[in-house]
Amino acid sequence: MIRLHHVYKNYGGGTDALIDITFSVARGEFIFLTGPSGAGKTTLLKLLYLAEHPTKGQVFINGVNVSTIRERKIPYLRRAVGVVFQDFKLLNSVTVSENIAFPLEVMGMPRRDINKQVMRVLKFVGLQDKYDAKPLELSGGEQQRVAIARAVANEPPILIADEPTGNLDSELTMDIIRLMNYIHKRGATVIMATHNKDIVERFHKRLISLGRGRIVG
Amino acid sequence: MFFVRVSYYIRKALSNLRAYPLVTGLATATVAFCVFIFCAYLLFLINVTGLLTGVGKTVHLAVYLSDDIDEKQIEEVKDAIISIKEVSEVTFTSKEEALAFLKESFGEQTGVLEGIEDNPLPASFEVALVEGGQTPENTKLVADKIGRMKGVDDVVYPREWLTRFNEFVRFVRAAGVAVGLILSLAAVAVIANTFKLIILSRRQEIEIMKLVGATNSLIKMPVLIEGMLVGLFGSAAALLGLVFLFSYFMDHFYETVSLFVGPVVPAFFSPVMIAAVIGASTLLGIVGSLLSFGRLLKV
Ligand SMILES: Nc1ncnc2c1ncn2[C@@H]1O[C@H](COP(=O)(O)OP(=O)(O)O)[C@@H](O)[C@H]1O
Ligand SMILES: [Mg+2]
């Protein structure tokens, strides 16, 4: 489903953010991507949702080599990858429902179906009564769940989450992990970056550890 | 699918207008301001040019006939003059009419003319030229042609005045076009910048839409519609303002001004012109909003 082959990423500075990364992820796997801050987790995930391109090496998603893909096709590949961004990337000027509707509108879903699906995922993350709130009126944990709801709204086969428990207390963290687990059970391939050792130890999942841009375990 | 898309574009454009009222309001006001200035100038130019054309039309050639030609010959000369293609109208004044006119203009002082036995005034044609044919070169050409005709004594027209007047008209036209060009370039630049502002206010939204898999056209179309609406409403507001200003001018100042410029009535834009202004502004809105994306869609 996902395969990286000797991937390097350099942002233009002296040191590489990613060095010789090779691994593959099968359909339906749940993977923790760990490593200290600055190890290259976000960079690696960005390669997977095509926000960055590898300096060297190849990235395959659904069998498609993303470095040779036609620019016109990129949006369609992105629709197969739901992303929970480290900084949420919610649009604060519109409501929660409108935020969650984005990926559905992008697919060309009719308005009525969009409304139904938005309510369904809001219920799924337990925010059905916040549909009309603006993101800034919500707590951090609630915003995080909105971000997750948006990422899974169009039921993508791949879910990428960049430190989705970043600054939540342990109880909310468990809620989020349970949610991710549930999404995984429903068939999605999940890759979740975290630097939280407790989570990694508590849930026994496949682990990819990064250190200074290299895979260290 | 097509209708889902189109309805999405329109809904999105309208919700954008609502979500960013300040920026779109500012953009509309800017477009309105620029179009207003430009149109006010255009209206001024059109009326000044119209005024000058009116003045130019008053140029006539006076063709004096020799005393020894008969009526049949007069007819022949008239036909020959009319057949010149730059000539639009020929009016005949007989010797008697000329004298009567002279007497009438002197009025009371007819004593001046008492001593005259013979009528010394020649019969004449007053020759008007077609519109746009009143250039000095043209007029001289026509004058020379008529001057060579049998039975024509003399052709008189305001040669010096015509030359100067034409230079003046040409200057007004050139200056008008130059200033208009500068104005429209400035307007386009200002409007382009406001559209840049619209796009920049959407930067975050555009980034998110790209990341959740929006195609470029999906992002562009609603903004294009917004640009279109901004151009449409901006220019409509500008024209509305101009109509008010124009009628205010006509009500309060025209009488004073008309003392200087004569009885030429200023005209507002024709419906075609109004449609053209609104159309151009709308098009500018579309093109401006599209161009403002620049490199922003590269993610
Ligand atoms: N856009 C960028 N431009 C330049 N350097 C970057 C950029 N993003 C990340 N880096 C650098 O790449 C390295 C890895 O960063 P990142 O992938 O964000 O790590 P992590 O997510 O594990 O904390 C860091 O040294 C960081 O400074
Ligand atoms: Mg990170």
Side-chain angles (χ1 to χ4, degrees):
Chain A
M1 181 133 246
I2 294 171
R3 194 157 66 83
L4 277 77
H5 190 70
H6 299 298
V7 168
Y8 290 75
K9 176 65 188 177
N10 189 299
Y11 282 110
T15 52
D16 289 340
L18 292 177
I19 301 160
D20 198 17
I21 304 290
T22 299
F23 70 87
S24 49
V25 179
R27 184 184 305 273
E29 271 196 282
F30 190 124
I31 291 183
F32 280 134
L33 184 63
T34 62
S37 189
K41 302 184 295 295
T42 299
T43 302
L44 179 50
L45 296 182
K46 277 184 176 170
L47 296 179
L48 300 184
Y49 58 83
L50 285 71
E52 293 287 352
H53 294 285
T55 312
K56 230 164 77 183
Q58 270 103 48
V59 175
F60 296 89
I61 293 168
N62 276 340
V64 180
N65 186 343
V66 302
S67 26
T68 58
I69 191 177
R70 301 259 292 281
E71 196 176 334
R72 234 163 19 83
K73 301 261 186 200
I74 290 179
Y76 302 96
L77 197 56
R78 279 184 177 142
R79 291 176 202 177
V81 184
V83 185
V84 183
F85 302 96
Q86 189 164 10
D87 55 354
F88 305 164
K89 289 200 196 299
L90 297 176
L91 200 58
N92 294 324
S93 55
V94 301
T95 65
V96 164
S97 339
E98 284 169 311
N99 268 286
I100 297 173
F102 266 146
L104 303 173
E105 287 168 347
V106 155
M107 288 169 55
M109 190 185 268
R111 188 74 232 171
R112 204 170 331 126
D113 300 350
I114 289 180
N115 290 339
K116 256 191 260 161
Q117 180 68 2
V118 166
M119 285 324 284
R120 198 181 304 150
V121 292
L122 270 174
K123 205 146 144 204
F124 176 63
V125 298
L127 287 175
Q128 55 269 50
D129 41 336
K130 299 286 188 188
Y131 70 96
D132 212 17
K134 297 276 175 73
L136 290 182
E137 297 160 13
L138 303 179
S139 71
E142 287 170 332
Q143 289 183 34
Q144 187 63 271
R145 281 185 281 160
V146 175
I148 293 173
R150 186 185 61 197
V152 299
N154 66 338
E155 299 175 1
I158 299 171
L159 178 66
I160 287 172
D162 196 352
E163 312 222 17
T165 61
N167 32 29
L168 302 179
D169 62 41
S170 58
E171 197 168 325
L172 284 175
T173 296
M174 284 309 134
D175 280 352
I176 298 290
I177 301 288
R178 263 181 229 116
L179 203 52
M180 305 293 294
N181 232 336
Y182 185 65
I183 293 162
H184 174 234
K185 288 267 154 58
R186 289 180 34 156
T189 305
V190 178
I191 301 179
M192 175 174 152
T194 179
H195 64 251
N196 185 330
K197 293 235 165 54
D198 293 347
I199 299 175
V200 176
E201 279 161 18
R202 211 169 136 179
F203 296 86
H204 300 280
K205 305 286 186 191
R206 182 178 160 198
L207 205 61
I208 296 176
S209 296
L210 286 181
R212 297 185 180 195
R214 292 178 194 276
I215 293 184
V216 294
Chain B
M1 191 65 185
F2 174 75
F3 287 109
V4 171
R5 277 272 175 262
V6 171
S7 87
Y8 166 77
Y9 295 151
I10 294 173
R11 227 173 339 98
K12 185 76 181 169
L14 294 179
S15 84
N16 275 348
L17 291 179
R18 248 180 294 117
Y20 305 91
L22 206 68
V23 185
T24 36
L26 189 70
T28 311
T30 309
V31 169
F33 178 76
C34 292
V35 172
F36 181 85
I37 298 287
F38 181 74
C39 284
Y41 170 74
L42 198 63
L43 196 59
F44 173 75
L45 189 66
I46 285 176
N47 279 299
V48 166
T49 315
L51 186 71
L52 291 179
T53 311
V55 172
K57 264 192 211 144
T58 61
V59 173
H60 292 272
L61 289 84
V63 178
Y64 296 106
L65 302 173
S66 40
D67 276 351
D68 52 11
I69 66 173
D70 57 32
E71 268 177 40
K72 189 164 160 286
Q73 282 171 309
I74 290 175
E75 271 311 305
E76 280 170 13
V77 172
K78 185 176 183 181
D79 288 346
I81 293 175
I82 282 182
S83 70
I84 299 173
K85 74 174 188 320
E86 286 90 353
V87 170
S88 71
E89 216 181 320
V90 181
T91 324
F92 179 68
T93 309
S94 67
K95 288 172 71 80
E96 294 73 32
E97 283 165 339
L99 190 62
F101 181 72
L102 192 63
K103 279 184 174 159
E104 200 180 307
S105 9
F106 275 90
E108 312 281 279
Q109 311 158 335
T110 35
V112 180
L113 304 165
E114 214 87 303
I116 300 169
E117 305 271 291
D118 260 0
N119 181 356
L121 297 174
S124 64
F125 285 120
E126 193 182 68
V127 177
L129 299 180
V130 294
E131 204 161 315
Q134 299 112 330
T135 60
E137 300 78 27
N138 244 330
T139 312
K140 182 173 186 314
L141 218 70
V142 174
D144 288 351
K145 238 184 229 171
I146 296 174
R148 282 196 298 271
M149 288 175 189
K150 223 172 107 226
V152 172
D153 227 15
D154 200 3
V155 181
V156 176
Y157 66 97
R159 188 190 314 250
E160 266 296 294
W161 182 86
L162 197 64
T163 308
R164 290 231 196 99
F165 177 73
N166 266 280
E167 270 167 15
F168 179 64
V169 169
R170 221 173 295 151
F171 170 77
V172 168
R173 288 234 169 91
V177 169
V179 173
L181 219 60
I182 292 170
L183 264 183
S184 49
L185 282 180
V188 168
V190 170
I191 291 171
N193 266 310
T194 31
F195 280 118
K196 201 107 212 163
L197 205 64
I198 290 191
I199 304 293
L200 284 181
S201 74
R202 310 285 150 80
R203 203 175 30 195
Q204 199 197 4
E205 180 172 357
I206 290 171
E207 187 203 350
I208 293 171
M209 289 188 71
K210 287 233 72 168
L211 287 175
V212 299
T215 55
N216 283 350
S217 65
L218 195 87
I219 296 171
K220 277 181 176 174
M221 286 304 286
V223 178
L224 180 149
I225 294 174
E226 274 178 80
M228 195 179 88
L229 291 176
V230 165
L232 184 70
F233 287 118
S235 58
L239 286 173
L240 216 60
L242 199 58
V243 168
F244 277 117
L245 192 75
F246 183 77
S247 62
Y248 187 81
F249 168 83
M250 292 302 282
D251 287 350
H252 292 82
F253 298 107
Y254 171 61
E255 260 176 60
T256 322
V257 175
S258 68
L259 293 180
F260 299 99
V261 299
V264 181
V265 181
F268 197 69
F269 293 129
S270 65
V272 175
M273 194 66 195
I274 290 174
V277 166
I278 292 180
S281 170
T282 307
L283 196 70
L284 189 66
I286 294 174
V287 175
S289 53
L290 282 187
L291 291 182
S292 317
F293 275 103
R295 298 185 45 79
L296 210 60
L297 288 179
K298 290 250 174 242
V299 176

